[in-house]
Amino acid sequence: MDIKTNMMIGCLILLVLESAIAQRAATYAEMLGYPTGVKVVIFHVDDAGMSYESNEGTIKSIENGVATSCSIMMPCPWAASFVRYAMQEPMDAGIHLTLTSEWKDYRWHPISGKKAVPGLVDAEGSLWPSVREVVQHSSADEVEMEIRAQIDRALEMGLKPTHLDSHMGTLFYHPPFLERYIKVGVDYGIPVMFPGGNNKLLKISMRDNLIKQLKKDGKFREGMELPGNEMLENAAEIGQQIWKSGLPVLDDLHSVSGNWKPEGNPDDKAWGEYKVAQFKSILREMEPGLAMVIVHSNGDRKTFDRISSSGGSRYADMLAMTDPELKKFIAEEGILLTTWQEVMERRKNIK
């Protein structure tokens, strides 16, 4: 084969590659102006305001660790304390829209009041313990009234929320609730956390959660076909709608670090190191784009263990977020850390 023929073949290959790249849909990260092929991550601490320990863990994870964002449970007892801190020491703080009160002996109530939203409360007058019960008993109008009340409480205290998301994912489990969640975000001009891209990590998260629940119910069998998820199937279309409304969209979401525990009876240090290894694994697994990785950090577990058996996992999340090894790994891998505030500013700059 002569040189001229080799050059022609080389040009054809380049044209094919260029065409393939042009046809590939851009990630939301690229649309927001981040470099092509780069992994951009928001390490996000849920449940600020739930307890003193939750506040302490959130602050440590952000100020001393790799976490870049958090969200506040406005109906909870320690929410006002965290809001004050977030305004004194500015940080990326959103609203963790809360429609459930899941612990047996530590409960909270709707900000709207039970007379205004009777379908949102149980016999104790607290928010329902489970997502299933919220969907079963509550109307979309009640849900919208309550999430607006939670946002308004934060605004009245002087906080400008950087984003909205959903405690226990309640707003994602019923299409009418999801519709109101997006509507409220658009009305207030506040980004709504929604994964509308490749969703590789989200699929892993949802599979892990489903298997965990099936095992708990005694219904899991190896090799069984797992049911699909309506929200996941429609995620791309919903993401496009949110983007067109002027709000940013995630490419992916990971939400199950709470399921990570090494075998046996690990001490706190070993549990934290195990989670560091797991975070490294999912960061390698994720595709380029903008992803949010959810954690639940506690500053200690002395009191929280009285609230929930998740105290050990939450303390391990905080240890992982503040572990120098994870920070070093992120830098070596060229992963960019960002915040919801930066993401929204980038979205505003797109005409």
Side-chain angles (χ1 to χ4, degrees), residues 151-257:
I151 297 166
D152 288 343
R153 183 188 182 201
L155 291 170
E156 288 163 5
M157 291 184 67
L159 181 74
K160 295 181 179 178
T162 56
H163 64 288
L164 307 175
D165 56 46
S166 177
H167 182 54
M168 295 177 67
T170 308
L171 292 163
F172 296 92
Y173 281 91
H174 190 43
F177 294 176
L178 180 60
E179 182 181 340
R180 298 301 180 94
Y181 166 66
I182 296 168
K183 174 180 181 290
V184 168
V186 173
D187 286 351
Y188 281 85
I190 301 175
V192 292
M193 187 281 289
F194 188 86
N198 63 75
N199 285 339
K200 184 176 183 180
L201 299 182
L202 179 60
K203 291 170 186 174
I204 294 171
S205 298
M206 296 179 78
R207 174 182 166 81
D208 287 352
N209 263 341
L210 182 55
I211 290 174
K212 180 182 178 182
Q213 186 61 48
L214 289 170
K215 286 181 176 179
K216 182 180 178 181
D217 297 339
K219 298 178 180 179
F220 180 73
R221 302 184 311 279
E222 289 293 340
M224 69 182 295
E225 185 176 344
L226 299 175
N229 180 276
E230 183 180 354
M231 189 280 286
L232 190 57
E233 292 169 358
N234 297 324
E237 181 181 349
I238 295 169
Q240 290 171 11
Q241 293 172 359
I242 294 171
W243 180 266
K244 289 176 182 177
S245 74
L247 300 179
V249 180
L250 296 171
D251 288 295
D252 207 350
L253 174 70
H254 187 272
S255 62
V256 293
S257 71

Side-chain angles (χ1 to χ4, degrees), residues 6-53:
N6 280 333
M7 290 178 64
M8 290 177 63
I9 292 173
C11 289
L12 285 171
I13 291 172
L14 285 173
L15 286 171
V16 170
L17 289 173
E18 288 174 359
S19 176
I21 292 170
Q23 291 176 15
R24 177 185 62 82
T27 66
Y28 283 109
E30 291 168 354
M31 292 165 67
L32 288 166
Y34 291 103
T36 301
V38 172
K39 298 177 181 181
V40 186
V41 176
I42 299 171
F43 272 109
H44 188 274
V45 188
D46 280 5
D47 294 0
M50 179 187 282
S51 67
Y52 175 82
E53 294 80 11

Side-chain angles (χ1 to χ4, degrees), residues 278-325:
Q278 295 301 308
F279 283 123
K280 287 181 180 180
S281 177
I282 65 157
L283 290 173
R284 292 189 188 100
E285 189 81 9
M286 77 172 278
E287 295 182 3
L290 173 63
M292 187 166 105
V293 178
I294 295 174
V295 301
H296 301 82
S297 294
N298 272 3
D300 64 52
R301 51 186 298 191
K302 298 182 182 71
T303 302
F304 198 88
D305 282 349
R306 300 175 185 175
I307 297 173
S308 160
S309 60
S310 66
S313 176
R314 290 167 184 259
Y315 187 60
D317 270 353
M318 186 277 294
L319 292 177
M321 289 294 98
T322 56
D323 193 313
E325 184 61 30

Side-chain angles (χ1 to χ4, degrees), residues 52-110:
Y52 175 82
E53 294 80 11
S54 304
N55 289 2
E56 186 181 29
T58 302
I59 292 166
K60 286 182 177 180
S61 295
I62 292 175
E63 295 186 349
N64 304 324
V66 299
T68 55
S69 184
C70 65
S71 56
I72 310 165
M73 299 175 70
M74 294 308 297
C76 293
W78 281 86
S81 175
F82 192 88
V83 168
R84 287 194 298 272
Y85 187 90
M87 291 191 295
Q88 292 166 4
E89 303 290 336
M91 63 176 65
D92 200 72
I95 305 301
H96 200 43
L97 297 168
T98 303
L99 300 171
T100 51
S101 179
E102 64 271 29
W103 312 125
K104 180 180 178 183
D105 297 313
Y106 184 68
R107 311 296 309 282
W108 45 84
H109 320 278

